[in-house]
Amino acid sequence: MTTRVATAGRFGIYGGQYVPETLMPNLIALEAAYAAAQQDSAFRDELDSALREFVGRETPLYFAARLSQACGGRIYLKREDLTHTGAHKINNALGQALLAKRMGKTRIVAETGAGQHGVATAAACAKLGLECVVYMGGLDCERQRPNVQRMQLLGARVVPCESGSRNLKVAVNEAIRDWISDPHSTHYLIGSVVGPHPYPTMVRDFQSVIGREARTQVLEREGRLPDAVIACVGGGSNAMGIFAAFAGDDVELHGVEAGGDGATHAAPLNSGTPGVLHGAMQYLLQDENGQILNTHSIAPGLDYPGVGPEHSGLKDSGRAQYHVVGDDEALAAFKELSRLEGIIPALESSHALAYARRLLKQRPGITVIVNLSGRGDKDLPRLMERGLL
Amino acid sequence: MNQSLQGAFRAARDEGRKALLPFLMSGHPSPEAFANNLRQVAAYADVIEVGVPFSDPLADGPVIQHAAEVALRHHTTLSSTLATLASRDPGPPVVLMLSVNQVLARGIERFASDAAQAGVSGAIIPDLPHEEAADVRAQFARRGLSLIAMLAPTTTPARMAAILGQAQGFAYLISVAGVTGARQGFAAETVEYIRRARELSAVPVCVGFGISKPEHIHSLSEHADGFIVGSALIRAIDEGHNAGDVLEPLCAACRQTADNRTLTTGAKS
């Protein structure tokens, strides 16, 4: 294990830039362009106005009265499911697409698992007139068919990735290979807080609007901060987006990983070891030879063997705690929210809901915010097909 | 610098030819066939590059990716690769090609010591760029291993100078922005970048990615010291051809270079 610490883009020992030389100049240029954009009020205004008028921000902080009663506490839902395209992914897709355009890029490649990031990227590219190619695992194309059709309708080319595990990991591999082959005109629009620096930081920043809004909203409603904030963690972008605003507060941060069917899972923070995947040091599901293991989750957006380097650092420092919820428990939470609140959550977000129920059982009466990162319409065809509804 | 790598390039230069660096994937198409190919290839190679298969390579094209999948199905590991290399007959120096996570999984220090013990001369780690390489370079130096520096057509002049300033053994010049795999020809800017790199480099410069035909070697030989042949060789092995049949004409091209055509005028080759 390397002992290098505290350079740019490092969270403890995690992060870094482990990419082929062909891409290094791109990362350096991206880092500089992002730093310049952050200082430019015109860029910030353009993004803010697009978030308001195109995405529909701010999103509500909804008090889930019947769910709270059923669980025995006070549960607020941060309604990212109400954003345009139906998940928090659009916050980052729009930010990066605007940045790419500013950098003179004409072509965007993206990976997608559940398809939510792919749809968000396709929408942002359509709006800004950028060419869009989305890599998606063959298995995910099957289990998230409505999103494939939405991406195509939005003008994106969807490329199914049929090698290996046919899921998110393979889609990232293919997107990176595409980027290596056309580094001048292409921007790789990563959908989570993963990948080489500056992506984990940049994606967190674009998503941190979630936490900033939620913190203000909860103070207005409750007159105080919540006891805990809960979010699901695949790569971990919705979790970093809401955690960031509460990191300096006396508020518990709970991340929820996918426990899959028990035998196979996607919970690197709970059962992985540090290693390098897709350009960054992070907790990773790997064997003793450093080969990446296969994962399983009912939620394609969580079906990934790695996790953002910042989460890896938060785990080691103890500032955030990470838990595991399996397929069945997530599915039960999915149904419960639908029936009690009239909100169909994404299977990914259902993992966070399931953990909220568990936490309130242990500590009745506390106030929590669950990041409801996306809507569940995309999951219905597959769940019906499998007789799970 | 690793003594055997230095010796291999000096020998090629003294004979007035370019070095040939064939790439084989450990465990491909089977562990036995790999050991066999290793022997066969030794007759044509100045340095042999041996890939250790990784589940998620980022810089490899379809041909080498597939070879890695095949090798992994045969349960090829770093340990089995080093065992095969340790038991081979004396021959050209070997450099490993693998992902940084495979090195970290073993531990940098242990990796360096195990590789050196198996007679390996160095390693190419494509996803370990210059900025992240300090620890690995230091541990390699303690064991006399070379960490092979990589340059790409996208590398800026300032980076090129910094990277070549630390280069050991030889420098690996990626011929195109892209993944490994055979290609038709080379752009003018590729030639220009190779020329600039050689000017700056204190170690031999070798061109890889897309070298499959004698014409490729002819067109670049004025500017490079060696050529890496990967996908073309792996594909030939997949198609059941003899490794020697692929390497013979490339080896001949390395002898008939622009440099030595003048040197050997009149001499029979």
Side-chain angles (χ1 to χ4, degrees), chain B residues 6 99 260:
Chain B
Q6 203 171 18
S99 166
N260 70 15

Side-chain angles (χ1 to χ4, degrees), chain A residues 40-388:
Chain A
D40 181 353
S41 60
F43 177 80
R44 291 200 309 268
D45 290 348
E46 193 180 2
L47 178 58
D48 286 347
S49 117
L51 287 174
R52 208 166 43 240
E53 287 150 28
F54 185 67
V55 175
R57 301 206 75 91
E58 65 181 26
T59 60
L61 184 74
Y62 169 77
F63 179 65
R66 298 189 69 217
L67 182 69
S68 293
Q69 199 175 25
C71 294
R74 296 180 65 72
I75 302 177
Y76 282 93
L77 305 178
K78 180 58 176 164
R79 297 292 307 277
E80 293 301 296
D81 61 312
L82 290 178
T83 55
H84 175 48
T85 70
H88 73 291
K89 295 292 186 188
I90 189 74
N91 303 323
N92 166 57
L94 204 53
Q96 278 195 56
L98 280 169
L99 181 63
K101 190 152 187 180
R102 191 184 147 100
M103 291 174 75
K105 305 284 182 180
T106 54
R107 182 173 175 272
I108 300 290
V109 294
E111 83 296 338
T112 196
Q116 291 302 108
H117 174 57
V119 169
T121 303
C125 288
K127 174 177 162 53
L128 297 175
L130 296 163
E131 184 188 345
C132 181
V133 179
V134 179
Y135 290 90
M136 186 168 186
L139 173 66
D140 293 339
C141 288
E142 286 159 22
R143 56 185 177 172
Q144 306 275 271
R145 182 138 305 279
N147 274 344
V148 174
Q149 289 155 344
R150 289 165 80 198
M151 284 183 269
Q152 288 167 340
L153 186 61
L154 291 163
R157 188 160 69 86
V158 180
V159 183
C161 310
E162 300 294 352
S163 71
S165 47
R166 303 174 69 227
N167 60 3
L168 180 56
K169 178 189 80 164
V170 182
V172 177
N173 292 346
E174 289 304 324
I176 293 177
R177 288 186 193 122
D178 179 309
W179 190 30
I180 291 180
S181 303
D182 183 21
H184 291 294
S185 60
T186 296
H187 172 71
Y188 176 25
L189 206 159
I190 296 186
S192 194
V193 288
V194 299
H197 176 67
Y199 283 105
T201 301
M202 183 172 68
V203 176
R204 176 203 64 205
D205 291 350
F206 284 135
Q207 291 294 3
S208 63
V209 64
I210 303 172
R212 279 198 307 276
E213 287 178 5
R215 192 173 183 282
T216 306
Q217 288 167 321
V218 75
L219 283 173
E220 276 168 13
R221 299 283 290 277
E222 290 279 315
R224 68 175 193 90
L225 291 169
D227 297 294
V229 171
I230 304 168
C232 65
V233 177
S237 68
N238 90 80
M240 274 323 307
I242 196 159
F243 285 1
F246 295 95
D249 298 323
D250 185 18
V251 172
E252 294 170 25
L253 306 177
H254 295 280
V256 187
E257 297 194 288
D261 56 16
T264 322
H265 58 83
L269 289 167
N270 280 278
S271 23
T273 50
V276 169
L277 177 67
H278 296 149
M281 176 86 65
Q282 61 198 282
Y283 276 94
L284 202 55
L285 296 175
Q286 58 181 333
D287 70 12
E288 70 279 10
N289 293 308
Q291 307 291 351
I292 311 306
L293 297 174
N294 282 332
T295 53
H296 164 78
S297 170
I298 195 172
L302 305 183
D303 198 356
Y304 184 69
V307 62
E310 191 163 9
H311 285 296
S312 301
L314 289 173
K315 176 200 155 79
D316 280 10
S317 72
R319 177 61 190 95
Q321 295 165 56
Y322 294 90
H323 315 275
V324 181
V325 163
D327 289 351
D328 292 345
E329 202 181 341
L331 194 57
F334 174 90
K335 292 178 186 172
E336 182 177 45
L337 191 73
S338 302
R339 286 181 194 157
L340 289 181
E341 297 290 348
I343 298 169
I344 302 172
L347 279 173
E348 289 77 13
S349 323
S350 301
H351 286 71
L353 290 165
Y355 181 73
R357 179 173 251 290
R358 237 196 255 169
L359 186 65
L360 292 191
K361 198 164 184 183
Q362 290 162 12
R363 291 156 58 198
I366 64 169
T367 299
V368 303
I369 298 177
V370 175
N371 194 6
L372 198 69
S373 54
R375 56 194 283 173
D377 309 53
K378 67 184 179 66
D379 297 309
L380 298 185
R382 182 66 171 187
L383 290 175
M384 282 190 252
E385 202 179 288
R386 297 176 62 196
L388 291 174

Side-chain angles (χ1 to χ4, degrees), chain A residues 1-4 10 15-26 28 163-164 169-170 172-174 176-178 180-184 274-279 281 284 286-293, chain B residues 53-61 65 69 72 76-79 99-102 104-108 126-133 135 150-156 159 163 174 176-179 183:
Chain A
M1 186 52 51
T2 173
T3 50
R4 199 179 121 168
R10 289 272 172 178
Q17 294 178 309
Y18 299 90
V19 297
E21 171 59 21
T22 308
L23 293 178
M24 278 306 295
N26 265 38
I28 292 164
S163 71
K169 178 189 80 164
V170 182
V172 177
N173 292 346
E174 289 304 324
I176 293 177
R177 288 186 193 122
D178 179 309
I180 291 180
S181 303
D182 183 21
H184 291 294
V276 169
L277 177 67
H278 296 149
M281 176 86 65
L284 202 55
Q286 58 181 333
D287 70 12
E288 70 279 10
N289 293 308
Q291 307 291 351
I292 311 306
L293 297 174
Chain B
F54 181 52
S55 54
D56 293 82
L58 294 185
D60 284 326
Q65 269 182 64
E69 283 169 24
L72 286 171
T76 306
T77 61
L78 176 61
S79 297
S99 166
V100 65
N101 199 47
Q102 295 169 284
L104 296 175
R106 169 126 339 187
I108 300 172
D127 56 352
L128 186 72
H130 182 65
E131 282 81 350
E132 305 284 2
D135 291 353
M150 297 187 94
L151 295 174
T154 51
T155 306
T156 56
R159 282 183 68 75
I163 293 168
I174 300 166
V176 287
V179 294
R183 285 175 177 79

